[in-house]
Amino acid sequence: MRKALLPAIVIIIASLLLIRLFYLQIIDDSFKLKSENNAIKIKYDYPERGYVYDRYGKLLIANQPSYDIMVVPKDVKEDEMNIKEFCSLLDISETFFHEKMKKARKYSPMLPSVFLPQLNKLEYAAFQEKIRKFNGFYIQKRSLRDYQVDYGANVFGFITQVNENIVKKNPYYVGGDLIGRQGIEESYETFLRGQKGVKYILKDKFNREIGSYKEGKYDTISKQGEDITLTIDGELQKYGEQLMVNKWGGIVAIEPKTGEILALVSAPNFNPALLVGRKRSKNYTLLHNDSVAKPLYDRGLLAEYPPGSPFKILTALVALQEGVIDENTTFFCHHGFSYARGRFMKCHCHGGAMQLHNGIYESCNTYFGNVYIRTINKYNNHSYGVDVWSKHVKSFGLGDFMGYDLPIGKRGKIPTSKTYKKIYPGWNWDGKTIVSNAIGQGEVLMTPIQLANLMATVANRGYYYTPHIVKKIKGEVLDKKFRTRHVTTIDRKYFEPVISGMFDVYNKGTAFGLGVEGIDICGKTGTAENYLKVNGKRVKLQDHSIFVAFAPKDNPKIAIAVFVENGYWGKRWAGPITTLMIEKYLRRKITRVDFEKRMLEGSLKDQYAKLYPRKHQDSLALLNERVKDSMEGLNKKQDSIKGVKPKNESKKDTLKKK
């Protein structure tokens, strides 16, 4: 029996191998597609990317035809072709030609790769007339983005060619394919890109196409990308970017009841059309190399700032929840208070007896400093007290990534006992030691979107939905995580007295005079200290201007955070911008034209110029001029292109023009 077992196993294994080989070679010949590169030519049919609309159905991003020149290196006879004529036709140098050919051969001598991407209609027409002269080159039609608006670049992102790493990781992509980067183009790439079609063409020994391989058995049809509707209000987004011209910072507006992002402004910004076409790479390099203004840096999502006085709202809510104060708890302010030997926290309120209500609308540092110390020192173990406070604060979505549907973000920072054990090793620290947290300084950091979400949570009296920027995708259901309510650790009853104080910020407090008749706005001014290390020394710069608000007071429809770098105090820049954004969204018109004129014409360029040496100022000015020139030239070129009706204009294009 044992003697027969081994031969039996060998026979069975050999039989299985023969069956598998028979299947692969006779029945399933799909692997020939990979092995017969000499006889089979692969052609891709690239679909249009999905269109993008704002929350009201306004078209933001469409497509325009583009043409890539592809090359199959083994078919190019460089010694026989007129390279000089070829380069002249495409306005490239001979050096560039040889570099691209070298790169193409390295990728694959037999497989096609992109030689020159993104020709417009005029360039395509000129080359098409003489393409017969240049063996090994052919034209691959694609579509590029056609921006219908000149705002929202940080929201949209852009598309670019895949690199080798992407091709290795994702089998869908091949060299020369386009992929979304940053913004919604990256987050929703799989929806927007659609599905490219593939055709396998059989060639004879003379390299002539003789028909479809296996009668098209393996061919696939392209599928257009899905259309996407954003939560963004296009008009509000544009207005926010206009208000932030010549200012640095961010504006984030959210609909409290849904978590939908109404506006996501980062300043300075740029025209999204700059990152389309053959000059995309050059323009991107210009923007990327601007290390001063950082136009590619999305301050609304990435910039971590001390939140300043708006954080006092959380200080009050946690203290109420912990029972260390009530609405009538009183502290006396003498334009500040001494909380330790040689330590004095200044205050700019009117002074006198301070309770929760006037403490909020006068933004009294003395009141909130004492409240915070009570909260931390409630527990004999101060480490435990800090962790209790931290847990409450983090329940508002702070100190961690928020989970929104954009590819970038920062955690912010909410300290815990571990933070202070590292900072003060072996020291018996308590609430007085870290009292700066009470007023949004200290170790606390937040991004503008976190500040806006904080306001949405207060507006909802204790809950929020994860902020998101896509409202709907045709044929898809909104991700469950954007429909899930997150409840804070603060009881609903404690929000009302805090909101009452925020309402009077506009009526008789630090934002008096910023209101709009007929709109009940609840807000909080903020002024955050700003430091920069220069030659190893900590230098104080002009304070940041911050404002947070929601409106109306009852049944709120918008929550907003505005952050203006080096903008002095909250009421000076961020406050008026907040008021204008709220009125614009709720009424679609502006009555506070005094604010509008001052904000649109106002500039902080002189303030920013102080931050950098003269050489950086000169380079920034030069860069802005080059970007402006590039944008004007690109817009003129696009205008000329749009004047030519494409032969295969899609139904969507026709409807759009009507």
Side-chain angles (χ1 to χ4, degrees):
M1 184 69 179
R2 291 183 178 178
K3 291 181 180 180
L5 181 61
L6 184 58
I9 293 174
V10 172
I11 292 170
I12 292 171
I13 293 174
S15 300
L16 291 173
L17 288 173
L18 288 171
I19 292 171
R20 180 61 176 164
L21 287 172
F22 177 81
Y23 174 77
L24 291 175
Q25 295 184 15
I26 306 301
I27 299 175
D28 181 9
D29 55 0
S30 60
F31 285 89
K32 288 184 179 181
L33 299 178
K34 298 180 180 179
S35 64
E36 294 184 351
N37 287 318
N38 287 323
I40 299 173
K41 179 180 179 181
I42 300 174
K43 281 188 175 181
Y44 293 106
D45 180 17
Y46 290 93
E48 281 193 284
R49 288 179 77 85
Y51 283 43
V52 179
Y53 301 85
D54 85 341
R55 67 188 293 110
Y56 300 115
K58 178 182 179 180
L59 182 63
L60 302 175
I61 310 176
N63 298 300
Q64 57 180 307
S66 174
Y67 308 88
D68 291 349
I69 295 180
M70 309 294 292
V71 62
V72 181
K74 74 177 183 63
D75 296 333
V76 179
K77 311 299 181 187
E78 293 186 41
D79 55 340
E80 297 179 8
M81 70 178 286
N82 189 335
I83 296 177
K84 189 173 184 179
E85 180 185 9
F86 181 90
C87 294
S88 176
L89 192 61
L90 295 173
D91 192 24
I92 60 175
S93 67
E94 292 187 34
T95 301
F96 178 85
F97 173 87
H98 292 298
E99 287 176 352
K100 293 295 288 185
M101 287 302 302
K102 182 179 178 181
K103 186 176 180 180
R105 280 191 292 268
K106 182 180 178 181
Y107 171 71
S108 173
M110 296 182 293
L111 294 177
S113 60
V114 177
F115 178 85
L116 193 64
Q118 303 177 7
L119 274 66
N120 61 42
K121 293 191 189 83
L122 302 178
E123 294 167 331
Y124 159 72
F127 185 74
Q128 181 71 5
E129 287 183 3
K130 299 185 178 182
I131 194 171
R132 65 186 183 279
K133 293 183 177 182
F134 310 115
N135 292 330
F137 293 92
Y138 68 94
I139 291 176
Q140 173 76 65
K141 183 183 176 183
R142 298 181 189 272
S143 64
L144 293 182
R145 283 317 208 182
D146 185 9
Y147 294 100
Q148 307 299 298
V149 296
D150 59 359
Y151 54 81
N154 62 309
V155 174
F156 303 149
F158 55 91
I159 56 174
T160 185
Q161 283 190 36
V162 296
N163 55 40
E164 291 181 7
N165 289 332
I166 294 174
V167 173
K168 289 178 182 178
K169 291 178 181 178
N170 193 328
Y172 174 84
Y173 298 101
V174 296
D177 279 4
L178 300 177
I179 190 171
R181 276 284 169 260
Q182 299 183 15
I184 61 163
E185 295 284 14
E186 180 173 336
S187 293
Y188 290 91
E189 162 70 7
T190 54
F191 295 102
L192 288 168
R193 76 184 182 195
Q195 189 72 29
K196 65 186 175 188
V198 184
K199 291 183 179 180
Y200 299 95
I201 309 298
L202 195 62
K203 299 185 293 182
D204 63 17
K205 62 181 181 179
F206 299 108
N207 203 37
R208 296 176 301 194
E209 296 181 8
I210 58 176
S212 297
Y213 176 72
K214 291 288 184 180
E215 298 181 347
K217 178 180 178 181
Y218 299 105
D219 293 353
T220 58
I221 300 174
S222 65
K223 180 183 177 184
Q224 184 167 330
E226 300 292 348
D227 293 345
I228 286 181
T229 299
L230 301 182
T231 61
I232 291 291
D233 176 344
E235 188 176 336
L236 188 68
Q237 177 76 23
K238 180 179 181 179
Y239 190 57
E241 292 189 17
Q242 290 172 338
L243 294 172
M244 290 295 287
V245 169
N246 293 324
K247 308 168 192 71
W248 296 356
I251 303 174
V252 183
I254 295 174
E255 184 179 67
K257 289 183 178 179
T258 62
E260 294 179 355
I261 299 173
L262 303 172
L264 180 60
V265 175
S266 177
N269 214 308
F270 59 93
N271 189 327
L274 275 173
L275 299 184
V276 177
R278 287 176 62 182
K279 292 187 178 180
R280 187 206 69 80
S281 181
K282 180 180 178 181
N283 291 336
Y284 180 86
T285 300
L286 289 173
L287 295 168
H288 178 75
N289 289 341
D290 183 354
S291 59
V292 179
K294 300 179 181 178
L296 291 176
Y297 181 71
D298 193 329
R299 287 168 164 84
L301 302 178
L302 294 173
E304 296 173 299
Y305 304 103
S309 291
F311 197 79
K312 293 173 181 176
I313 296 166
L314 277 172
T315 301
L317 288 169
V318 174
L320 289 167
Q321 182 68 35
E322 285 297 305
V324 297
I325 62 165
D326 59 27
E327 294 177 49
N328 300 314
T329 301
T330 304
F331 298 99
F332 287 89
C333 178
H334 303 286
H335 302 293
F337 81 110
S338 178
Y339 58 91
R341 179 181 293 182
R343 299 289 183 179
F344 187 79
M345 179 180 281
K346 294 181 180 180
C347 184
H348 301 287
C349 73
H350 294 111
M354 288 290 159
Q355 297 177 337
L356 178 64
H357 190 74
N358 63 339
I360 291 174
Y361 72 69
E362 290 196 31
S363 196
C364 178
N365 288 347
T366 298
Y367 176 83
F368 288 101
N370 279 291
V371 165
Y372 182 78
I373 291 170
R374 279 198 181 186
T375 301
I376 303 302
N377 293 353
K378 172 185 175 181
Y379 302 93
N380 292 329
N381 184 334
H382 299 142
S383 292
Y384 181 75
V386 167
D387 288 337
V388 169
W389 167 84
S390 182
K391 182 180 178 181
H392 284 307
V393 173
K394 287 181 177 179
S395 73
F396 287 75
L398 307 179
D400 204 350
F401 297 112
M402 301 193 68
Y404 47 71
D405 52 346
L406 286 166
I408 56 174
K410 288 290 185 70
R411 291 177 178 270
K413 185 177 181 181
I414 301 299
T416 65
S417 60
K418 290 182 179 179
T419 307
Y420 297 111
K421 286 175 182 177
K422 290 180 180 178
I423 297 175
Y424 306 112
W427 191 1
N428 187 26
W429 52 270
D430 62 7
K432 293 179 181 179
T433 315
I434 56 176
V435 69
S436 293
N437 290 335
I439 58 174
Q441 297 285 167
E443 285 67 51
V444 176
L445 294 174
M446 292 171 64
T447 60
I449 194 171
Q450 289 176 326
L451 269 174
N453 191 61
L454 167 61
M455 277 299 95
T457 309
V458 174
N460 289 335
R461 279 69 171 173
Y463 69 88
Y464 69 91
Y465 291 94
T466 300
H468 51 283
I469 206 157
V470 166
K471 190 175 182 69
K472 67 178 180 180
I473 304 174
K474 187 176 180 181
E476 300 290 331
V477 178
L478 186 66
D479 194 316
K480 184 179 179 181
K481 72 176 182 178
F482 301 131
R483 295 179 281 119
T484 301
R485 179 183 290 199
H486 302 276
V487 181
T488 70
T489 57
I490 309 299
D491 294 341
R492 181 182 177 88
K493 63 182 179 181
Y494 295 124
F495 284 89
E496 292 302 337
V498 171
I499 289 172
S500 177
M502 293 174 64
F503 180 63
D504 276 340
V505 167
Y506 269 89
N507 294 325
K508 52 186 176 181
T510 54
F512 179 75
L514 294 185
V516 178
E517 186 176 350
I519 300 179
D520 293 336
I521 307 176
C522 300
K524 184 73 190 75
T525 52
T527 305
E529 292 184 346
N530 177 27
Y531 292 89
L532 182 71
K533 276 194 175 182
V534 179
N535 297 324
K537 293 183 179 180
R538 193 166 181 255
V539 179
K540 190 179 187 309
L541 304 176
Q542 188 56 252
D543 293 340
H544 295 317
S545 176
I546 311 169
F547 206 97
V548 296
F550 66 86
K553 178 173 180 283
D554 300 313
N555 191 26
K557 293 179 173 59
I558 181 174
I560 187 170
V562 177
F563 208 109
V564 181
E565 293 182 11
N566 309 96
Y568 300 86
W569 57 90
K571 187 177 180 179
R572 180 162 175 171
W573 290 103
I577 290 173
T578 300
T579 297
L580 291 168
M581 290 288 285
I582 288 174
E583 186 177 24
K584 184 73 170 179
Y585 181 68
L586 296 180
R587 291 180 171 171
R588 316 309 288 178
K589 62 179 182 179
I590 297 297
T591 59
R592 294 303 307 260
V593 292
D594 53 333
F595 289 168
E596 184 177 61
K597 185 176 188 298
R598 182 158 61 90
M599 292 301 105
L600 290 175
E601 296 177 357
S603 172
L604 288 169
K605 289 173 68 175
D606 291 343
Q607 190 62 234
Y608 302 135
K610 297 176 184 178
L611 305 180
Y612 303 96
R614 181 69 191 176
K615 63 178 181 179
H616 285 303
Q617 296 176 35
D618 292 340
S619 65
L620 177 60
L622 176 63
L623 176 67
N624 287 336
E625 285 301 316
R626 291 175 71 185
V627 170
K628 181 180 178 182
D629 291 343
S630 296
M631 186 172 69
E632 289 176 352
L634 184 61
N635 288 339
K636 288 179 181 177
K637 180 179 287 187
Q638 287 183 337
D639 290 340
S640 67
I641 292 171
K642 289 176 183 177
V644 181
K645 183 178 178 180
K647 293 180 180 179
N648 54 348
E649 184 178 70
S650 68
K651 182 178 179 181
K652 280 191 176 182
D653 292 331
T654 305
L655 291 173
K656 181 183 69 177
K657 291 178 181 178
K658 287 181 180 180

